[in-house]
Amino acid sequence: MAKVVWDTDVSSLTRVRDEVDAVLEDFVSAREQEAPGPEMAPLFATARRLLLSNGKRLRSLLCVVGWRAAGAPGDHHAVLRVAAALELFQTFALVHDDVMDDSDVRRGGPSAHRTLAAEYTRAGGQRGRAEVHGRAAAVLLGDLLLVWSDTMLADAGLGGRAQARVLPLVDSMRTELVYGQYLDLLSTGRISQDVAAALRVARYKTGKYTVERPLHLGVCLADGGPQLLRMCTDFAIPLGEAFQLRDDLLGVFGDPAQTGKPVGDDIREGKATVLLALAFQSAPRAERRLLRALFGSTNLSGEDIGRVRSILETTGAREGVETMISSRRDATLAALEAADLPPDVTHMLRQIVWMATERIV
Amino acid sequence: MAKVVWDTDVSSLTRVRDEVDAVLEDFVSAREQEAPGPEMAPLFATARRLLLSNGKRLRSLLCVVGWRAAGAPGDHHAVLRVAAALELFQTFALVHDDVMDDSDVRRGGPSAHRTLAAEYTRAGGQRGRAEVHGRAAAVLLGDLLLVWSDTMLADAGLGGRAQARVLPLVDSMRTELVYGQYLDLLSTGRISQDVAAALRVARYKTGKYTVERPLHLGVCLADGGPQLLRMCTDFAIPLGEAFQLRDDLLGVFGDPAQTGKPVGDDIREGKATVLLALAFQSAPRAERRLLRALFGSTNLSGEDIGRVRSILETTGAREGVETMISSRRDATLAALEAADLPPDVTHMLRQIVWMATERIV
């Protein structure tokens, strides 16, 4: 295949997204052809909707840009497949995360277990079993997506040497996610003022996995050197944290139409976020008591959410998190300037920085 | 490394088990060294217990014997790791299966989600969250085991050509298991007299994955030819079915001390087994009504189990399943005779046939 040179204009990111989507669509269609029967249709429909419903494709973009930063050798067949494997992995993580947190909504529609429960009922499933069925089926769907992400990698046509560079990174990324999720589970339901602990969870659960690992994967695929990898780390670590901090804010103050998640899920699920730790640190006694009462409560009213928001504002926690995001974004942009990468790569990374920290583009 | 020639006496199977155990133990210890902190201890303790508590290692044995049938080229470093990857995969499947079925017991001890819930409570976890936590943590533990099984394969030191032979088989095995489990979920809670449907679920869920795929993996690892693969299929398909049918019987008539599972789980969970389909087919009206009432009932008494057993006896279902096992075992042994394999391989396979269908050795 001829080497494809991408445009360096703003449409590049959109183009990468479209190409990754096409790879995913082809892959799922091929898997569906091999499936044992029409009974599998709900699994495939749910997989397709979650995989292809306008994700940001942040990890794909970072992987492709990392590969370009290292010189983009060869055609882009392999890098698009490595990127698509990251999206399959991310969707696996979301499906299991929603089962674990019992979340109703994902990417603006029902979560996988809710979809599969509804489908079971629609198809005449046994009364009273729908919820249990939905949960079990979503565990299986997550398993399938995890297996697929691996199949996608195996079919990426990496040679033996590229494999030896890429697979250990994939392995680290996967285990880090599981460890981070477990740390998250252990801290769930315990309100705390420990900002450092909340940051540690965020780093494992999201930080490295969302920014550093995808960038490194792209760089290693293109056989980039240790200096470039170090530069990517300097860029990625603060960006990953900023991404997670923005997520904390959007979870409480975001527009559900934009985030695709209902407001207040973190409070409802009792997630020990940095935002909440900051608020709890400096809240007066009565507000602390209120936070403690609402934290982890499954039936929060709109009024309750309003009260929590107000505490997050008056304690300065919201502003504090915004400041933490800004300082991390500054560190990321400074690392980017210092790196002296080709202008088109720098341009794309700068777009990604704003996308990850402000959720624009 | 020098080529290791195994004994051909009865102790061979034991020796393979011990060697696979050692590989697993080393692997888990190495992973534990890299884990982010002491908080991970419950995950590792649970993984270790389930992985190393006297499983039959049926899949490992079949993989190693398949490799020997194809001439056992090179040393046995790689085949032991492929076998260990099968055990990690099998343990992943059990952990998620128990979450899905809400089973209390596995391999004679508490299931993973029960263990992790108890550990959470012991460590001072939030009251009322233990069950939800245990389930979520077991989903993560299963994910981790699935990732590990893949890491084990990647570290098996297969060359590019062995990889190209082995990985597609692994991929098929993994997706078949998920599809089989989903078929199983769909049929759960629906009592039926459809023996063919129950056999189809068993074939996907257990049959191919327990016998044929592990044998083929061993053969392909050793670059065995299409004729040997076909012979393995002839041997494996009836054996896989017989294995699952024995499982059905042991679930109702087995000794919990031997099976490591409480009696009657299949009835309690509403599993559409061949055994039950046969009984339902020929039960008189009153017995049918009773079966329908007890099937899928979460609080079965010992007396209820006794009633179900009695119906399974009087309808001839138990005997029918024994006959199905025998005829499949005959087919398997006939395939083995026809294959004309080296005597030590034939000897080991014959032992495995009895182990899988009678659960002896």
Side-chain angles (χ1 to χ4, degrees):
Chain A
M1 256 181 286
K3 173 165 171 175
V4 173
V5 179
W6 270 307
D7 317 330
T8 55
D9 66 68
V10 188
S11 70
S12 274
L13 297 185
T14 310
R15 177 145 168 220
V16 173
R17 283 193 192 108
D18 289 347
E19 300 206 277
V20 170
D21 279 1
V23 169
L24 288 169
E25 175 60 52
D26 286 355
F27 179 85
V28 176
S29 297
R31 293 289 89 75
E32 195 160 20
Q33 293 293 319
E34 303 157 6
E39 298 101 324
M40 299 296 135
L43 284 186
F44 279 89
T46 312
R48 196 172 255 124
R49 181 173 64 75
L50 288 172
L51 266 173
L52 298 171
S53 59
N54 58 36
K56 293 176 290 293
R57 301 274 182 255
L58 186 58
R59 294 161 193 83
S60 285
L61 298 177
L62 285 161
C63 177
V64 170
V65 175
W67 174 78
R68 292 187 66 169
D75 66 69
H76 65 317
H77 177 92
V79 73
L80 283 180
R81 272 148 196 86
V82 173
L86 288 173
E87 299 300 331
L88 286 159
F89 182 75
Q90 162 70 357
T91 310
F92 137 75
L94 297 178
V95 168
H96 278 189
D97 193 50
D98 286 345
V99 170
M100 293 189 278
D101 292 341
D102 199 23
S103 304
D104 296 327
V105 172
R106 174 62 70 180
R107 292 188 172 167
S111 53
H113 58 287
R114 293 275 181 266
T115 306
L116 291 161
E119 183 52 35
Y120 178 76
T121 305
R122 204 197 55 74
Q126 215 199 7
R127 212 170 307 179
R129 275 195 54 84
E131 197 182 329
V132 167
H133 173 90
R135 210 159 44 207
V139 169
L140 287 175
L141 177 59
D143 296 343
L144 190 61
L145 287 160
L146 177 53
V147 167
W148 282 352
S149 98
D150 200 47
T151 309
M152 178 68 86
L153 265 184
D155 294 351
L158 309 180
R161 278 156 63 190
Q163 259 188 15
R165 294 190 305 264
V166 163
L167 293 188
L169 283 179
V170 172
D171 186 46
S172 300
M173 180 188 77
R174 296 190 298 195
T175 48
E176 274 159 17
L177 174 81
V178 174
Y179 295 148
Q181 291 277 46
Y182 188 65
L183 287 176
D184 187 51
L185 271 188
L186 289 174
S187 66
T188 295
R190 296 176 204 247
I191 199 162
S192 157
Q193 54 180 29
D194 190 341
V195 173
L199 262 181
R200 176 167 173 250
V201 173
R203 209 167 288 145
Y204 265 96
K205 193 179 75 165
T206 319
K208 284 170 83 80
Y209 148 64
T210 304
V211 187
E212 191 193 21
R213 294 298 184 191
L215 257 180
H216 277 186
L217 274 172
V219 170
C220 285
L221 183 65
D223 206 8
Q227 201 192 339
L228 182 56
L229 287 170
R230 262 197 310 279
M231 181 304 274
C232 288
T233 299
D234 294 344
F235 168 91
I237 296 292
L239 185 60
E241 288 185 21
F243 173 85
Q244 178 61 44
L245 291 168
R246 175 60 63 203
D247 225 42
D248 291 1
L249 284 176
L250 286 173
V252 187
F253 296 102
D255 172 9
Q258 190 207 344
T259 63
K261 295 279 294 174
V263 154
D265 260 12
D266 283 348
I267 312 289
R268 207 171 282 119
E269 292 161 8
K271 290 289 171 198
T273 62
V274 171
L275 178 64
L276 207 83
L278 277 180
F280 200 63
Q281 239 175 35
S282 43
R285 202 159 166 165
E287 278 78 6
R288 274 187 156 225
R289 209 164 30 230
L290 188 62
L291 280 181
R292 209 189 286 278
L294 297 176
F295 186 69
S297 153
T298 45
N299 46 2
L300 287 186
S301 66
E303 210 175 311
D304 291 334
I305 303 274
R307 279 194 202 115
V308 173
R309 278 183 173 170
S310 147
I311 297 172
L312 296 173
E313 303 267 15
T314 55
T315 53
R318 182 183 189 176
E319 213 185 304
V321 173
E322 285 289 2
T323 306
M324 288 174 78
I325 293 173
S326 294
S327 69
R328 279 161 180 76
R329 183 169 51 225
D330 291 348
T332 292
L333 291 171
L336 184 55
E337 294 315 315
D340 197 23
L341 292 166
D344 61 322
V345 171
T346 303
H347 178 66
M348 287 173 95
L349 284 175
R350 207 176 284 127
Q351 283 181 277
I352 291 174
V353 170
W354 289 97
M355 194 184 111
T357 57
E358 299 301 322
R359 305 296 162 84
I360 47 175
V361 178
Chain B
M1 258 182 284
K3 174 164 172 178
V4 174
V5 179
W6 270 307
D7 318 329
T8 55
D9 66 64
V10 186
S11 69
S12 275
L13 297 185
T14 310
R15 175 142 170 222
V16 173
R17 282 192 193 109
D18 289 346
E19 301 207 276
V20 170
D21 279 1
V23 169
L24 288 169
E25 175 59 52
D26 285 354
F27 179 84
V28 176
S29 297
R31 292 290 88 77
E32 196 160 18
Q33 293 293 319
E34 304 158 6
E39 298 100 323
M40 300 296 134
L43 284 186
F44 279 89
T46 312
R48 195 171 256 123
R49 180 173 64 75
L50 289 171
L51 267 172
L52 298 172
S53 60
N54 57 36
K56 294 177 288 295
R57 302 272 181 255
L58 185 57
R59 294 161 193 84
S60 285
L61 298 176
L62 285 160
C63 177
V64 170
V65 175
W67 174 78
R68 291 187 67 170
D75 66 67
H76 65 318
H77 177 93
V79 74
L80 283 180
R81 272 147 196 88
V82 174
L86 288 172
E87 299 300 332
L88 285 160
F89 183 75
Q90 163 69 358
T91 309
F92 137 75
L94 297 178
V95 168
H96 278 188
D97 193 51
D98 286 344
V99 170
M100 293 190 279
D101 292 341
D102 199 23
S103 304
D104 295 328
V105 173
R106 173 63 67 181
R107 292 189 171 164
S111 53
H113 57 288
R114 293 274 182 266
T115 306
L116 290 161
E119 183 52 37
Y120 178 77
T121 305
R122 204 197 54 73
Q126 218 199 5
R127 211 172 305 179
R129 274 194 56 82
E131 197 182 328
V132 168
H133 173 88
R135 208 157 50 206
V139 170
L140 287 175
L141 177 60
D143 296 342
L144 190 62
L145 287 159
L146 177 52
V147 167
W148 281 352
S149 99
D150 199 47
T151 309
M152 177 69 87
L153 265 184
D155 294 351
L158 309 181
R161 279 155 63 189
Q163 260 189 14
R165 295 191 304 265
V166 163
L167 293 188
L169 283 179
V170 171
D171 187 47
S172 300
M173 179 189 77
R174 295 190 299 195
T175 49
E176 274 160 18
L177 174 81
V178 174
Y179 295 148
Q181 290 277 46
Y182 187 65
L183 288 176
D184 187 52
L185 271 188
L186 290 173
S187 67
T188 295
R190 297 175 203 247
I191 199 162
S192 157
Q193 54 180 26
D194 190 341
V195 173
L199 261 181
R200 174 167 174 253
V201 173
R203 208 168 289 144
Y204 265 96
K205 194 179 72 162
T206 320
K208 285 171 84 79
Y209 148 64
T210 304
V211 186
E212 190 192 23
R213 295 297 184 190
L215 256 180
H216 278 186
L217 273 173
V219 171
C220 284
L221 183 65
D223 206 8
Q227 202 192 339
L228 182 56
L229 287 170
R230 262 196 310 280
M231 179 305 271
C232 288
T233 298
D234 294 344
F235 169 89
I237 296 290
L239 186 59
E241 288 185 21
F243 173 85
Q244 177 61 44
L245 292 167
R246 176 58 63 203
D247 225 41
D248 291 1
L249 284 175
L250 286 173
V252 186
F253 297 102
D255 171 8
Q258 191 207 345
T259 63
K261 296 277 297 172
V263 154
D265 261 12
D266 284 349
I267 312 289
R268 208 170 283 121
E269 293 161 8
K271 292 288 170 199
T273 62
V274 171
L275 177 64
L276 207 84
L278 279 179
F280 200 63
Q281 238 173 37
S282 44
R285 200 160 168 163
E287 278 77 6
R288 275 187 156 225
R289 207 160 34 226
L290 188 62
L291 279 182
R292 208 190 287 279
L294 297 176
F295 186 69
S297 154
T298 45
N299 46 2
L300 287 186
S301 66
E303 211 174 310
D304 291 334
I305 303 273
R307 282 195 200 114
V308 173
R309 278 183 173 170
S310 147
I311 297 172
L312 296 174
E313 302 267 16
T314 56
T315 52
R318 182 183 188 174
E319 213 184 303
V321 173
E322 285 288 1
T323 307
M324 288 174 79
I325 293 173
S326 294
S327 68
R328 280 162 180 76
R329 184 170 50 227
D330 291 347
T332 292
L333 290 171
L336 184 57
E337 294 315 315
D340 198 24
L341 292 166
D344 60 324
V345 170
T346 303
H347 179 65
M348 287 174 94
L349 284 175
R350 207 177 283 126
Q351 280 181 277
I352 290 173
V353 170
W354 288 98
M355 194 183 111
T357 57
E358 298 303 323
R359 305 296 162 87
I360 48 173
V361 178

